[in-house]
Amino acid sequence: MNSDPTPASIHFSFPPIREVALVQPFSWLARGWADLRANPPASLFYGGCFAAMGLIQLVVFRFAVDYTSTLTMGFMLAGPFMAIGLYALSRQRERGEPVNFRASLVAWRENTGGIGIYVLILTVVFLVWARASLVTFALFESRAMPTWALFFQQITSFSNLPFIATFFGVGLLFASLVFAFSVVSIPYLLDRRADAVTAAAVSVMALVRNPLPMVLWALLIVLLIGIGMATAYVGLLVTGPLIGHATWHAYRDLVGLPNEADDLP
């Protein structure tokens, strides 16, 4: 008789969630940097994709600041999925396997169902955010949509505090929700071949058990992505893969193995 675990037992087993130190996110970045340096061509390929996507959207929508700002937020929301190949590269190095760039390109095939459902959820969230963003612009702009120069003038002027508070408040709400449900969910889906609901629950539990380290990690992600975008997206060539590799190590530190003793009190 086959003693392998059934698909149901794989999908619905909930792993133990570890507690980490406040400064642990810096360790994730250090280990992510080591992964990047160990596989520079493969890692920088993904970074080049991030930078190219940002540059393309900047060029195509350069006269539509409302669409560009919305797509920029969507770029951040989709980041965990776009970094699947980087998670695969980090896993290869962790296992002592040779770099297999081709395998990293199709790593999503290891859990097509779970990752596909998760991407569908992210797509719905992005569409809702896009609508909310456009409504925010419409509420505060009685004329045509502003140019980039006028947009930056608006967000740096204290006379536009209602617009600033609303625009960034809505963005922060959606970003926080996505971060809570995806901080370790995609690496978990890739590594454990779980379902999307369990992966989202694991991610939320990791946040609940480690609120301060997770807040620090979120700030570091925003800082690194901000640096990448402030350099006309060219900086994403490095900061993108760095965050991707580091996210794998965040997952490995936060989520225990199925047979590991849970240290919940």
Side-chain angles (χ1 to χ4, degrees):
M1 183 176 61
N2 190 353
S3 60
D4 291 340
T6 64
S9 67
I10 295 175
H11 289 182
F12 295 100
S13 59
F14 199 84
I17 305 300
R18 305 188 186 110
E19 292 185 3
V20 299
L22 172 62
V23 297
Q24 197 69 7
F26 293 106
S27 172
W28 301 336
L29 286 177
R31 284 180 279 169
W33 179 250
D35 287 348
L36 194 157
R37 292 186 61 188
N39 308 308
S43 297
L44 293 179
F45 168 82
Y46 289 102
C49 291
F50 297 147
M53 290 176 63
L55 288 171
I56 290 171
Q57 80 170 27
L58 189 62
V59 171
V60 173
F61 296 102
R62 62 187 181 280
F63 299 118
V65 62
D66 51 328
Y67 286 110
T68 304
S69 59
T70 299
L71 289 173
T72 297
M73 179 60 71
F75 184 87
M76 297 176 69
L77 297 181
F81 168 72
M82 296 166 60
I84 288 178
L86 293 163
Y87 308 149
L89 290 173
S90 289
R91 183 175 63 175
Q92 290 171 10
R93 182 167 184 262
E94 180 182 88
R95 293 175 175 177
E97 300 172 352
V99 176
N100 190 332
F101 175 65
R102 182 177 298 180
S104 74
L105 290 173
V106 294
W108 53 271
R109 291 182 179 177
E110 296 183 30
N111 188 0
T112 305
I115 293 175
I117 292 175
Y118 191 84
V119 170
L120 178 62
I121 294 172
L122 283 182
T123 301
V124 172
V125 172
F126 169 69
L127 292 175
V128 175
W129 151 246
R131 177 57 59 184
S133 176
L134 294 176
V135 168
T136 301
F137 272 98
L139 288 175
F140 289 92
E141 282 294 332
S142 57
R143 305 160 296 172
M145 290 299 176
T147 62
W148 272 106
L150 182 56
F151 176 69
F152 283 117
Q153 179 182 342
Q154 286 180 328
I155 65 174
T156 56
S157 173
F158 287 106
S159 62
N160 294 301
L161 284 178
F163 170 75
I164 296 172
T166 303
F167 182 77
F168 287 101
V170 172
L172 178 62
L173 173 63
F174 280 91
S176 298
L177 287 174
V178 172
F179 179 77
F181 287 105
S182 64
V183 62
V184 295
S185 55
I186 295 292
Y188 181 80
L189 284 168
L190 173 66
D191 195 41
R192 310 288 177 91
R193 303 185 183 184
D195 64 282
V197 174
T198 302
V202 167
S203 188
V204 171
M205 284 301 301
L207 177 62
V208 169
R209 296 209 67 189
N210 299 275
L212 294 181
M214 291 296 95
V215 169
L216 176 59
W217 180 226
L219 292 175
L220 289 172
I221 292 175
V222 170
L223 174 63
L224 290 170
I225 292 179
I227 292 173
M229 291 181 173
T231 55
Y233 294 94
V234 175
L236 289 175
L237 179 68
V238 174
T239 61
L242 174 59
I243 294 172
H245 286 307
T247 298
W248 171 262
H249 295 289
Y251 152 70
R252 295 292 288 141
D253 281 358
L254 291 165
V255 183
L257 299 174
N259 58 350
E260 183 177 316
D262 193 346
D263 60 350
L264 284 171

